[in-house]
Every structure is written in structure tokens, then in C-alpha cells.
Amino acid sequence: TTTNIKVDFDQSTGVAVMYMQSPPVNSLSLDFLTEFCINLEKLEMDKSCRGLIVTSSQPKVFSAGLDIMEMYGKSPEHCGEFWRAVQEMWLKMYSSNMATIAAINGSSPAGGCLMSMTCDYRIMADNPRYSIGLNETQLGIVAPFWFKDTIINTVGHRTAEMALELGLLFSPSEALKIGLVDQVVPEDQVLTTATQAMTKWLAVPDHARQITKSLMRKPTLDKLTSSREADIQNFVSFITKDSIQKSLRVYLEMLKKRKG
Ligand code: CO8
């Protein structure tokens, strides 16, 4: 089996770095998400691990978001299982007791943007070729309510409304301006900056930071926890519609054509 995730845990600092390494673009497949969650759970249970930095081993891409092939031409059962794994990743990351920082060293559309927004802090490489945002409407699909809630919690209601409806992808400097990322730094300094930022987060007593994080995020988390099955049903009936499958096919063809 392949390894989609590599974890470097530094006992002396209590900080783990999780590298996403699923070529070519770290798309979030069922296997990837399962492995991601297993690794996350291990770190979460380890009392000596207080901080987590998530980054990419792939050049130019943080994560291309959900693996479209998991939603295209698949059975309702498969789609349901896939969606449960997406929910699990979001629930675990958004509620993590660790201080979490996304070191966004490449493009981060859709599910990649969602994953980075689950973190406490975001640092992005200043390369103008990279972009970040929830571009779902551009694919003819609709970001679910908990994607919407997460971006509202990050950038505020009006900015989120416009970004979601237009399916906007932002350059690093634009993302910084609207608060979608917290810091933009030269490409080769993303990880070191994340490590420096982490010391600030870990200087706060853990219990105070954790309870405060929970205060901020619990209402949003509870909404999905209490409606997981309905959300899966919703996703499956939406994504298996002929018209939506057609949109995905058109989008996939566009992705292939755009190459080279
Ligand atoms: N899923 C599956 N395959 C993908 C994905 C993806 N998300 N993204 C890229 N690929 C494939 C490409 O098709 C290509 O395949 P091949 O080599 O066979 O032609 C290969 O990966 C490499 O891609 P590129 O050549 O495009 O690589 P670049 O380095 O030029 O660009 C990007 C990288 C910027 C990440 C670019 O690939 C891109 O924009 N990808 C699409 C990103 C995207 O739109 N993702 C949206 C996914 S949907 C989602 O995450 C949330 C859905 C919520 C569901 C709601 C329903 C109710």
C-alpha cells in the first residue's frame, strides 16, 4: 500500500509536521482521508503532541481538494462512504485540541481550502500562481452548509457570500487582504514561519486555549454532528444526479485539456 501521509514528530518541541504526499496533487481520496484521520487520531491521543503543522510534499500544490474521481461514476454506497470520510476529516481537524497551523505551500482549491480553514492559523507562499478558495460553484456543485459555516467563521458573512456564490479563487495577496490566510511569506519560508508562529500558540496554557477554541467552534461542529446521516443522504442524492455527473464530466475534461 502507498503512504499518503508522512509525520515528523519532534518530541523536544511537542510539534508534529504532517506532510501530505499523494502525487500528483494531494487530492483527497477515500484512502487518503482514512490515512489522514488515523494519523491525526494518533497525534491527538499523544499527550506530548501539542501542535500540528499541515503541509504538502508536492511541488506547487497544497491540496487539489476532494478527489473528483471518488464522486464521478461511483455507486451511491461508495459516494456515501467517501462523504463520511470527508466529514470525519473536518470534524477531527476543526475540533482538534492541538494548535494547528496550515503551511500552504501551493494551490489550495475547494476541499484543500476547507482543510486549511480547519486550522487555527494559515500561512501561504507568496507565489501569485497559487490560489485558494471554495470554487465549488465553478464546478456546478454546491459547497455544503458546514463548508459555508467554516468560511463564514474565517472571513465573515459578506465576504463569504460573494466568495461562495462566485466560486472565487484568491491569489495569496488577495487571500491575505480578506483574512482567508493570516500571513503570506516567501515560498522557501513557509514551514519555518509556521514553526515560529507555533511557539506563540504554544505559549498559551493548553487548557485555556483548548476551551476557548471549543467555545468558538462548538456550535458549528454540533450542527454537523447532529445531522451527519442527513448530510450524507443529501450529498449522495445530489452528486448522483445525471445533471451533476455531467457537470463533473465537463469539469474533468476541462482539467485535462488545460494541460500542456
Ligand atoms: N480530483 C481528481 N483529480 C484531480 C483533481 C481532483 N480534485 N485535481 C487535479 N486532478 C488531476 C488532473 O486531472 C490531472 O490528471 P491527469 O494527469 O490524468 O491529466 C492531474 O491531477 C494533475 O493536475 P494538473 O495538471 O491540473 O496539475 P497542476 O499542477 O497544473 O494544477 C491544481 C494543480 C491547481 C490543483 C489543478 O489541478 C486544479 O485546479 N484542480 C482542480 C481543483 C478543484 O477544482 N477541486 C475541486 C474538487 S471538489 C471539492 O473539493 C469540494 C466538493 C464539495 C462537494 C459538494 C457536493 C455536494
Side-chain angles (χ1 to χ4, degrees):
T1 58
T2 53
T3 306
N4 297 304
I5 307 287
K6 189 182 103 195
V7 177
D8 273 355
F9 178 42
D10 183 342
Q11 287 279 355
S12 70
T13 58
V15 178
V17 182
M18 205 192 255
Y19 294 90
M20 301 185 281
Q21 48 174 29
S22 178
V25 292
N26 289 331
S27 65
L28 309 176
S29 65
L30 180 55
D31 278 353
F32 182 101
L33 290 164
T34 305
E35 212 182 301
F36 185 92
C37 283
I38 289 170
N39 279 285
L40 189 58
E41 204 162 313
K42 265 192 218 149
L43 297 171
E44 201 74 57
M45 310 258 280
D46 183 343
K47 282 274 169 285
S48 67
C49 184
R50 302 171 60 218
L52 172 67
I53 296 169
V54 181
T55 194
S56 166
S57 296
Q58 302 312 126
K60 299 186 296 182
V61 183
F62 179 74
S63 166
L66 304 190
D67 190 329
I68 297 167
M69 301 316 291
E70 299 279 20
M71 318 185 260
Y72 179 67
K74 292 287 192 293
S75 70
E77 292 70 29
H78 182 91
C79 291
E81 196 190 347
F82 173 59
W83 197 247
R84 190 181 300 280
V86 179
Q87 291 178 334
E88 194 66 25
M89 178 273 288
W90 180 81
L91 288 167
K92 281 203 157 71
M93 280 297 290
Y94 208 56
S95 67
S96 176
N97 272 322
M98 295 180 281
T100 52
I101 295 181
I104 310 167
N105 52 346
S107 284
S108 195
C113 176
L114 179 76
M115 180 188 284
S116 74
M117 287 191 299
T118 62
C119 292
D120 294 301
Y121 195 73
R122 279 160 291 288
I123 298 159
M124 190 168 185
D126 71 358
N127 190 330
R129 300 169 76 98
Y130 300 160
S131 64
I132 182 167
L134 295 181
N135 60 321
E136 278 77 358
T137 57
Q138 300 258 10
L139 285 71
I141 58 180
V142 178
F145 72 85
W146 41 286
F147 285 49
K148 174 209 61 144
D149 290 342
T150 310
I151 192 170
I152 288 175
N153 293 351
T154 309
V155 302
H157 198 281
R158 172 58 186 150
T159 303
E161 178 174 68
M162 195 146 60
L164 280 174
E165 287 187 28
L166 294 172
L168 296 179
L169 287 170
F170 299 93
S171 69
S173 62
E174 292 167 338
L176 181 65
K177 209 186 303 170
I178 64 165
L180 184 54
V181 301
D182 301 296
Q183 224 178 320
V184 169
V185 301
E187 191 142 18
D188 59 353
Q189 288 167 32
V190 174
L191 197 53
T192 51
T193 307
T195 306
Q196 285 160 11
M198 187 59 88
T199 59
K200 201 161 83 182
W201 287 82
L202 295 186
V204 178
D206 283 337
H207 66 284
R209 182 186 48 74
Q210 288 161 354
I211 293 168
T212 304
K213 182 171 177 174
S214 170
L215 270 174
M216 295 300 294
R217 297 187 173 194
K218 195 168 180 300
T220 305
L221 285 156
D222 285 348
K223 272 172 73 181
L224 180 61
T225 307
S226 64
S227 65
R228 270 187 93 164
E229 299 308 321
D231 183 63
I232 292 171
Q233 290 286 307
N234 249 334
F235 171 76
V236 172
S237 63
F238 180 78
I239 209 76
T240 54
K241 277 193 176 83
D242 285 346
S243 58
I244 301 304
Q245 287 290 309
K246 183 164 175 253
S247 296
L248 290 181
R249 180 163 53 77
V250 170
Y251 188 75
L252 279 165
E253 278 163 10
M254 184 281 291
L255 267 182
K256 307 264 177 219
K257 272 205 205 98
R258 203 185 46 122
K259 285 183 70 157

